[in-house]
Amino acid sequence: MNINHVSIEASRRHVTSITAIDTSYSMSSREGGKTRLDAAKEGACKLLDAHGSEDHMAVLSFGSEVNDVSGGAVELSRANKVALMSRIMNLKPSGQTKFYDTLIAGCQLVLSISANAQLRGHLTDEDMGTFWLIILTDGDDNASESTQADAEKILRLINAELGKEAMKVVFIGVSLDSGTKSK
């Protein structure tokens, strides 16, 4: 993965991103002098650094379990960025790939953030900002309890509740070989 330039553009006031990093054993494969996980961690740190101080970010890791590395979406002060970068760089490979479970966990986090913000009266539909769900992975799901149909269902729910432009989903393939099928 080569992320040389990253630009996060908010279509409204701010950006809240959920970045999910595949930490399955396959990410320990070496290519070009570093592991796929090293490349994903570097990319995630570049994405983090591209956010402004008014933005928020959550970091998930996924192998055989989906883990909230950041403790929810945190405001990206300089100190919080440094702490998140440290947590990202300390991720280690383990287990298989729970891709669909991770996609659903990220979507559930978006719905929770949106509902909590609206309940507190901090945000309205006009200034909610843009949600980004960014998943860095090297392969297909091989361990989720959820299915592709479950993931599609929650994506439709987000579109219905928040609007089609409220959340962008981006999948970044980390050194996918030619035999990997994309869906």
Side-chain angles (χ1 to χ4, degrees):
M1 179 173 80
N2 187 7
I3 299 178
N4 291 321
H5 176 74
V6 177
S7 175
I8 303 289
E9 288 186 32
S11 61
R12 292 177 252 167
R13 278 205 168 152
H14 68 275
V15 171
T16 299
S17 66
I18 293 92
T19 300
I21 303 167
D22 182 349
T23 57
S24 64
Y25 283 127
S26 64
M27 293 291 284
S28 62
S29 294
R30 288 197 168 277
E31 295 180 17
K34 62 176 125 181
T35 67
R36 294 174 183 173
L37 182 56
D38 290 338
K41 291 188 295 189
E42 284 178 18
C45 287
K46 286 181 181 181
L47 290 168
L48 172 60
D49 200 44
H51 284 74
S53 61
E54 292 185 19
D55 296 332
H56 291 77
M57 186 175 195
V59 178
L60 305 175
S61 66
F62 66 102
S64 290
E65 299 296 327
V66 180
N67 298 299
D68 183 349
V69 175
S70 57
V74 297
E75 188 173 41
L76 293 176
S77 66
R78 189 73 207 140
N80 284 346
K81 280 186 175 185
V82 169
L84 275 179
M85 283 184 189
S86 176
R87 290 179 189 163
I88 290 167
M89 295 312 290
N90 284 319
L91 292 174
K92 306 286 184 231
S94 67
Q96 295 182 306
T97 308
K98 285 196 166 195
F99 178 81
Y100 295 128
D101 288 350
T102 302
L103 179 57
I104 290 169
C107 289
Q108 289 170 333
L109 187 54
V110 165
L111 289 170
S112 175
I113 292 166
S114 175
N116 288 335
Q118 289 178 356
L119 283 174
R120 290 190 317 268
H122 290 230
L123 298 172
T124 65
D125 288 343
E126 289 80 35
D127 65 0
M128 179 62 76
T130 302
F131 289 100
W132 287 83
L133 176 55
I134 303 163
I135 301 177
L136 300 122
T137 185
D138 72 343
D140 293 331
D141 189 297
N142 59 14
S144 285
E145 295 172 23
S146 306
T147 65
Q148 181 175 347
D150 296 330
E152 291 169 354
K153 182 178 178 182
I154 197 164
L155 288 168
R156 284 191 301 275
L157 175 66
I158 285 178
N159 285 342
E161 289 195 13
L162 303 180
K164 290 183 179 184
E165 298 300 317
M167 185 175 85
K168 311 292 185 205
V169 180
V170 178
F171 306 103
I172 299 175
V174 181
S175 299
L176 294 173
D177 66 29
S178 60
T180 301
K181 296 177 186 175
S182 60
K183 295 182 180 178

